Amino acid sequence: LNQKVNVEQLQNEFDAILVAAGSHKGYNMGMGNEELAIDGVEFLREFKLNSNNFNIQKGEKVAIIGGGNTAIDVARTVLRLGGSPTIYYRRTQNEMPAIAEEVEEAFAEGVKFEFLTAPTALRKTSDNQIEATFIKMELGEPDETGRRKPMPIEGSEYSINLNKIIKAIGQSYDEFVFNGKTLKVKQGKIDYDANVPVFCAGDMAWGGTVTEAIGSGNKAAEEIDYYLRGIHYQPEESPVNTVVPADINFAYYLPTPRIENRTKYGQDMFMNFDEVVEGLSEDQIISESNRCLHCGECFSCGNCYNYCPDAAIHIDAEGRLRIDYDYCKGCGICFEECPCSAIEFKMSEVEYE
């Protein structure tokens, strides 16, 4: 199980191959002496497995390069290990891809931020520190991602001494799985020169949350199943997350505010790895579940039964609401009065002889 294998080694043994290798290999910053920087994902992995394996000392100045969730996780971990973390990000806070709530929590805990700033050079000093040169940036025109492109400001370079620098500018998959080839992977079947079809799923092909990665695996399994049975596969165009029906009747629901979990911070963050966001009590959980709109799902409210003028709605032996089409005249009142759009109403053309 611990042996590394790739597609080339497996292609003669199976009828299809699914690659879900994740994205755990950090991107390079593209500068000299980059080996002086610790990889962010590696830092978090080693911390989880071996505690303070990178020997963060109390009071050490640590720079974290990046603006995503990994950068935030690294900074907040360094803070708890006693270091003094500063996140350097080449755009502004508005462009940070990290979860906004976690950015605010990092601010509240004492993580420092330097926006519109990017590293340009690293050098090891005689006293075993790292001299990092940074340059200030300004935002130009939007790039292919839709975000304004950071542009260096000429003559704005400056240098500081650091104890450690950690890079967290994004991750990719390990090219070993494709025998060293770098491919532009996507969800499902990919173009790859192998004896059998190759599919991709998970973080390497989809990205996003754990839930989305699991959903990606389910879709890839469905596509492989179609392939093995010789059936043409046509993926659904609908998004992963359920969209509230446009005709849902919000007038039936009383506005109920969401219960926000209380965020607490310790007076001293050193070695304090307690949960920051408090959980919900049993009463709060029940209250939150009662806020569910049951979009597109009947929850036996009885509106259709009460409003039907022709007694066409009845309750079956299992306690479910059913429509008796021998009595239904197609007035559509049940459709209008359903608060969660669980009833579908279509007008059909009738041919008369």
Side-chain angles (χ1 to χ4, degrees):
L1 290 176
N2 293 324
Q3 182 181 2
K4 291 180 69 174
V5 295
N6 59 35
V7 170
E8 306 293 328
Q9 296 168 302
L10 300 174
Q11 62 179 340
N12 295 321
E13 300 181 40
F14 301 93
D15 297 316
I17 296 175
L18 172 66
V19 181
S23 294
H24 57 270
K25 185 177 179 181
Y27 287 133
N28 290 325
M29 296 186 292
M31 66 181 68
N33 297 323
E34 191 161 336
E35 70 278 0
L36 297 176
I38 302 167
D39 180 73
V41 172
E42 183 181 355
F43 171 82
L44 294 173
R45 183 190 303 115
E46 287 300 316
F47 167 74
K48 183 66 176 178
L49 297 176
N50 302 308
S51 189
N52 191 4
N53 196 44
F54 285 100
N55 196 28
I56 301 292
Q57 298 295 314
K58 201 163 186 177
E60 280 191 336
K61 294 172 62 176
V62 181
I64 297 95
I65 312 300
N69 291 320
T70 300
I72 298 296
D73 289 345
V74 168
R76 297 176 76 181
T77 301
V78 167
L79 187 72
R80 285 159 173 76
L81 292 174
S84 177
T86 301
I87 290 178
Y88 293 83
Y89 181 53
R90 59 181 184 165
R91 290 184 170 95
T92 72
Q93 183 178 351
N94 291 334
E95 285 80 31
M96 289 185 74
I99 298 172
E101 290 84 352
E102 295 198 7
V103 175
E104 294 299 329
E105 289 171 8
F107 267 113
E109 290 176 354
V111 174
K112 300 180 181 66
F113 288 80
E114 290 288 342
F115 296 110
L116 292 171
T117 309
T120 59
L122 302 177
R123 186 181 69 85
K124 195 164 188 176
T125 65
S126 57
D127 56 352
N128 209 30
Q129 289 192 326
I130 300 172
E131 182 186 72
T133 300
F134 292 91
I135 189 169
K136 302 301 291 184
M137 315 289 281
E138 60 183 354
L139 296 182
E141 296 299 318
D143 60 14
E144 62 277 1
T145 67
R147 295 183 298 171
R148 295 173 64 189
K149 186 176 181 179
M151 308 292 291
I153 300 175
E154 187 176 351
S156 63
E157 295 91 344
Y158 67 95
S159 298
I160 59 173
N161 282 1
L162 302 164
N163 296 107
K164 291 180 176 64
I165 183 167
I166 303 175
K167 58 180 180 178
I169 60 173
Q171 295 87 240
S172 182
Y173 62 88
D174 190 339
E175 296 92 343
F176 179 84
V177 295
F178 297 122
N179 203 29
K181 299 174 184 176
T182 302
L183 303 177
K184 188 174 182 179
V185 300
K186 62 181 180 67
Q187 165 70 33
K189 189 175 183 300
I190 65 171
D191 294 326
Y192 186 73
D193 185 18
N195 297 338
V196 295
V198 178
F199 303 81
C200 290
D203 219 23
M204 68 180 295
W206 189 287
T209 64
V210 172
T211 303
E212 289 171 323
I214 294 171
S216 169
N218 288 336
K219 297 300 291 184
E222 180 181 71
E223 185 175 354
I224 293 171
D225 177 60
Y226 272 63
Y227 165 78
L228 294 176
R229 291 191 291 152
I231 303 174
H232 174 69
Y233 178 72
Q234 182 63 43
E236 295 181 8
E237 296 298 329
S238 60
V240 174
N241 294 326
T242 302
V243 176
V244 177
D247 56 350
I248 189 168
N249 195 337
F250 288 105
Y252 278 98
Y253 298 97
L254 295 175
T256 306
R258 174 178 176 172
I259 298 174
E260 299 291 345
N261 303 64
R262 191 172 73 90
T263 305
K264 60 177 182 179
Y265 305 105
Q267 295 297 316
D268 183 6
M269 302 304 297
F270 181 61
M271 297 308 293
N272 183 357
F273 290 93
D274 293 340
E275 290 285 346
V276 171
V277 180
E278 291 185 342
L280 299 178
S281 66
E282 183 176 347
D283 290 340
Q284 289 175 324
I285 292 172
I286 294 173
S287 176
E288 281 295 279
S289 65
N290 287 333
R291 296 175 64 247
C292 176
L293 298 179
H294 294 272
C295 308
E297 176 186 338
C298 175
F299 61 101
S300 302
C301 70
N303 274 6
C304 57
Y305 181 86
N306 293 326
Y307 281 97
C308 180
D310 300 307
I313 309 292
H314 67 281
I315 301 175
D316 66 14
E318 298 180 5
R320 297 174 299 184
L321 291 163
R322 289 288 182 262
I323 299 174
D324 188 336
Y325 292 102
D326 290 335
Y327 290 90
C328 178
K329 294 182 175 62
C331 66
I333 292 177
C334 60
F335 171 78
E336 294 294 336
E337 297 299 334
C338 178
C340 55
S341 301
I343 300 175
E344 187 175 5
F345 183 69
K346 291 182 179 180
M347 298 293 292
S348 60
E349 296 181 359
V350 180
E351 295 182 1
Y352 295 94
E353 294 183 359

